[in-house]
Amino acid sequence: MTDHIQFSSDKNALILLDQRILPGREEYFACTNTETTIYALQTMVVRGAPAIGVTAAYGCYLAACEVDPADVQWKARLEKLLKDLEDARPTAVNLRWAVDLMRRAWQAEPGLTLTGLREKWLDMAKDIHAQDIEINKAMGRYGADLIDDGDTVMTHCNAGALATAGHGTALGVIRGAWEQGKKIQVIANETRPFLQGARLTAYELHKDGIPVKVACDNACALLMQRGMVQKVVVGADRIAANGDAANKIGTFGVAILAKHFGIPFYVAAPASTFDLSCPTGADIPIEDRTPREVTHVGDHQITPQGVGVFNYAFDATPSELIAGIVTEKGVIRAPYVENIAKIIGGK
Ligand code: MRU
């Protein structure tokens, strides 16, 4: 699945499969400028760290299309749009990573005309988009060897094709094992409140014919206790220099349970998801989203009027609970500080 993120030259727009309404309806949303791109990111028309990065890269191009070369302030106006884009969601570092790449390319050629910059950024966005699929396939190949024939693999949230340009990170590992002919099954934790597992992971695996069952988030301990889970593989939104990995809320709990039951817990994420400026998971900003995602199912309110809720969207799993981090450069294992610095930081 790769048609969920498309650039339309005819419309000069980024066309996104609207993940808010899957699996019931397959409809597309057009981002035509910075405002609509930020809206798509914040409301989760598009979500998942690598997909957010790809969207942000096209968003920079759309921002450059929005400013007027006749305006003497165009550079300052464009920088303001990049900043707004970068701040659309706080946890997935791929957003900042993509905007930074574009910004650095601009700084390297400060004399570029606006037309030249638009061309450059559109080419770069298309490259980031295409490379992400290759990166996921490489991760899938490395990660597939961690999965045994007959395993049932649990995953939390959606770290699949929909969360990337295609193939997926955690689901890329699962697809890799499946392509090796291993007879595996997947448990998709439903992932309250946005239901990325129930709606999106189940949708894409079912479409590919990979056996998948959805479990309520709170069934995790029972399933593990009954020996129904052999591996856990999840994605990440940001990985600190010590290997602590922020991912969808609830991941930390799954990792603690996996440790308790002696089940290997793996994280799959590209190099762009590492943030070596964060020493530990405690330094990773955690998004606090609208209460409405918790208080309502569709238009129906399920909590009493006037009762407050928590809607932290991510948690950080300490690296001591992680058996390995699958990247496009290979599988990183403890000691994480040294190995991440070597493999990701090039030190
Ligand atoms: O809030 P979301 O849906 O953007 O959160 C997504 C996740 O937590 C994913 O597991 C993570 O981004 C990895 S996606 C390959």
Side-chain angles (χ1 to χ4, degrees):
M1 179 191 279
T2 51
D3 56 1
H4 57 293
I5 303 178
Q6 301 165 40
F7 182 77
S8 161
S9 307
D10 294 349
K11 299 194 174 94
N12 200 38
L14 177 66
I15 311 292
L16 301 168
L17 180 61
D18 191 339
Q19 298 191 31
R20 297 170 302 176
I21 51 176
L22 285 174
R25 300 200 314 269
E26 292 181 2
E27 288 174 13
Y28 287 83
F29 178 93
C31 302
T32 50
N33 54 22
T34 319
E35 192 186 346
T36 45
T37 307
I38 291 174
Y39 173 84
L41 289 165
Q42 290 182 334
T43 60
M44 302 215 279
V45 169
V46 62
R47 29 68 46 204
I52 288 172
V54 172
T55 300
Y58 283 112
C60 292
Y61 162 73
L62 293 172
C65 292
E66 209 176 316
V67 293
D68 180 356
D71 179 350
V72 285
Q73 296 287 335
W74 73 262
K75 289 187 179 176
R77 286 198 207 293
L78 182 53
E79 184 43 53
K80 165 79 173 69
L81 293 176
L82 297 192
K83 181 83 186 78
D84 292 347
L85 200 53
E86 190 167 60
D87 291 343
R89 290 190 74 187
T91 305
V93 75
N94 305 58
L95 174 56
R96 209 183 64 199
W97 168 85
V99 176
D100 262 5
L101 267 183
M102 308 302 251
R103 193 185 272 125
R104 273 191 272 119
W106 181 19
Q107 283 163 355
E109 289 183 78
L112 268 183
T113 61
L114 189 52
T115 311
L117 187 62
R118 287 174 186 159
E119 276 169 21
K120 183 171 197 71
W121 278 359
L122 183 56
D123 286 348
M124 283 180 69
K126 287 180 176 171
D127 277 354
I128 291 172
H129 189 175
Q131 276 169 23
D132 189 59
I133 302 177
E134 295 315 311
I135 287 169
N136 290 326
K137 289 195 171 154
M139 243 185 287
R141 287 190 291 274
Y142 284 117
D145 293 338
L146 304 171
I147 310 293
D148 293 311
D149 193 22
D151 276 356
T152 294
V153 183
M154 176 177 276
T155 189
H156 193 79
C157 194
N158 172 265
L162 289 166
T164 62
H167 204 65
T169 58
L171 296 196
V173 169
I174 286 167
R175 287 193 166 94
W178 182 255
E179 281 159 14
Q180 286 179 344
K182 290 174 181 162
K183 301 252 172 307
I184 55 172
Q185 311 212 36
V186 179
I187 294 176
N189 291 342
E190 65 174 348
T191 320
R192 274 278 295 157
F194 199 68
L195 303 176
Q196 288 94 332
R199 297 188 303 107
L200 309 176
T201 296
Y203 164 82
E204 58 171 274
L205 291 179
H206 185 63
K207 221 174 175 167
D208 277 4
I210 301 176
V212 56
K213 281 192 175 148
V214 173
C216 297
D217 297 328
N218 41 15
C220 182
L222 178 78
L223 298 176
M224 289 185 175
Q225 186 186 43
R226 290 192 166 181
M228 293 164 74
V229 181
Q230 281 70 50
K231 305 279 159 45
V232 179
V233 188
V234 298
D237 286 80
R238 193 184 297 218
I239 302 178
N242 71 343
D244 293 354
N247 190 51
K248 181 52 53 191
I249 190 78
T251 304
F252 182 16
V254 175
I256 292 171
L257 288 168
K259 184 72 157 188
H260 180 79
F261 290 107
I263 298 167
F265 176 96
Y266 295 105
V267 172
S272 54
T273 298
F274 286 76
D275 181 357
L276 304 193
S277 75
C278 285
T280 74
D283 304 296
I284 298 176
I286 299 293
E287 182 175 8
D288 189 2
R289 292 184 60 82
T290 168
R292 200 184 157 89
E293 287 175 353
V294 177
T295 57
H296 286 67
V297 172
D299 288 333
H300 180 69
Q301 180 154 0
I302 56 166
T303 55
Q305 196 77 40
V307 172
V309 298
F310 293 109
N311 192 14
Y312 295 115
F314 300 94
D315 54 29
T317 297
S319 58
E320 61 263 26
L321 301 178
I322 301 174
I325 305 176
V326 184
T327 74
E328 70 274 32
K329 297 166 189 263
V331 180
I332 306 178
R333 296 197 188 256
Y336 285 111
V337 174
E338 291 88 321
N339 290 340
I340 289 174
K342 210 176 346 172
I343 296 169
I344 304 296
K347 289 187 187 132

